[in-house]
């Protein structure tokens, strides 16, 4: 019998698995994102675009506050456009889905084009994640979702342009981008 952590790349120890599923630790250690100036990959930096916005998103995704009844409090951001909050939320969802057993992360963006763009940025990061700790996916051909082998996590993007978007979903984390 195996434990969920044994299904992680390299049979990560419980301590390493815990750090891998923490967006704050994982993204700062391993994430590469597209640099819009050069068009090439650069290491993720929560302070590159804003002083505290991306830090707020990462802190929330790492340890979300709880209500008195135990439910997770929502994080609502009023922010300028192109500040990196949506990408940070999606990369946080990536880490949770890639390393947390059975975790489902969904993103609902205002348009299908925006949803696909955001998810493409997640694929960009996933493809550059170090192989020794990268969580393998079911299929390399997935473009609108990622499903992780062994761990059983997944992430998908949806568009607010669709009728009844989100009806029937029960994700572990949900990101509404420009909604």
């Amino acid at each position: 019998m195996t434990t969920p952590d044994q299904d992680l790349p390299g049979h990560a120890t419980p301590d390493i698995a815990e750090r891998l599923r923490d967006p704050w630790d994982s993204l700062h250690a391993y994430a590469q994102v597209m640099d819009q100036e050069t068009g090439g990959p650069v290491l993720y930096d929560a302070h590159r675009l804003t002083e505290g916005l991306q830090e707020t998103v990462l802190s929330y995704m790492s340890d979300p506050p709880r209500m008195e009844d135990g439910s997770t409090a929502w994080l609502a951001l009023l922010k300028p456009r192109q500040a990196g909050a949506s990408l940070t939320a999606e990369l946080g969802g990536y880490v949770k889905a890639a390393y947390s057993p059975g975790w489902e992360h969904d993103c609902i963006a205002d348009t299908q084009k925006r949803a696909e763009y955001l998810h493409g940025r997640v694929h960009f990061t996933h493809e550059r994640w170090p192989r020794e700790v990268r969580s393998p996916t079911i299929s390399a051909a997935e473009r609108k979702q990622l499903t992780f082998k062994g761990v059983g996590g997944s992430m998908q993007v949806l568009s607010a342009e669709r009728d009844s978007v989100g009806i029937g979903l029960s994700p572990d984390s949900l990101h509404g981008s420009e909604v």
Side-chain angles (χ1 to χ4, degrees):
M1 182 171 151
T2 63
T3 66
D5 288 340
Q6 288 176 307
D7 293 327
L8 291 171
H11 299 286
T13 66
D15 288 344
I16 292 172
E18 193 63 34
R19 292 199 66 193
L20 285 170
R21 67 178 62 102
D22 183 326
W24 185 266
D25 288 341
S26 274
L27 295 181
H28 285 102
Y30 302 119
Q32 292 186 37
V33 295
M34 175 75 74
D35 180 37
Q36 293 187 354
E37 266 184 56
T38 66
V42 294
L43 290 175
Y44 176 83
D45 177 359
H47 298 284
R48 186 173 179 134
L49 298 177
T50 65
E51 189 55 40
L53 180 65
Q54 293 175 7
E55 232 176 45
T56 297
V57 173
L58 286 178
S59 175
Y60 174 83
M61 297 222 39
S62 293
D63 187 21
R66 303 287 177 183
M67 307 292 281
E68 285 182 24
D69 67 358
S71 62
T72 303
W74 285 81
L75 173 65
L77 298 172
L78 180 60
K79 59 167 193 64
R81 291 192 43 82
Q82 303 303 315
S86 287
L87 177 59
T88 298
E90 282 307 286
L91 293 178
Y94 163 74
V95 167
K96 290 293 198 178
Y99 300 108
S100 300
W103 191 277
E104 181 183 331
H105 173 80
D106 293 337
C107 172
I108 300 175
D110 55 340
T111 66
Q112 188 65 34
K113 184 177 178 180
R114 173 95 173 129
E116 290 174 9
Y117 171 80
L118 276 172
H119 199 65
R121 301 287 45 98
V122 171
H123 278 268
F124 180 89
T125 299
H126 175 71
E127 291 162 3
R128 285 156 183 79
W129 206 262
R131 284 194 188 282
E132 55 276 2
V133 293
R134 184 186 317 155
S135 194
T137 57
I138 298 282
S139 167
E142 290 182 312
R143 285 292 155 225
K144 294 183 182 178
Q145 66 183 34
L146 280 170
T147 308
F148 299 98
K149 287 182 186 176
V151 174
S154 66
M155 59 187 311
Q156 67 174 334
V157 291
L158 304 165
S159 167
E161 294 173 320
R162 288 186 16 202
D163 290 339
S164 304
V165 69
I167 300 296
L169 296 178
S170 57
D172 296 287
S173 56
L174 173 67
H175 168 221
S177 178
E178 308 290 336
V179 175

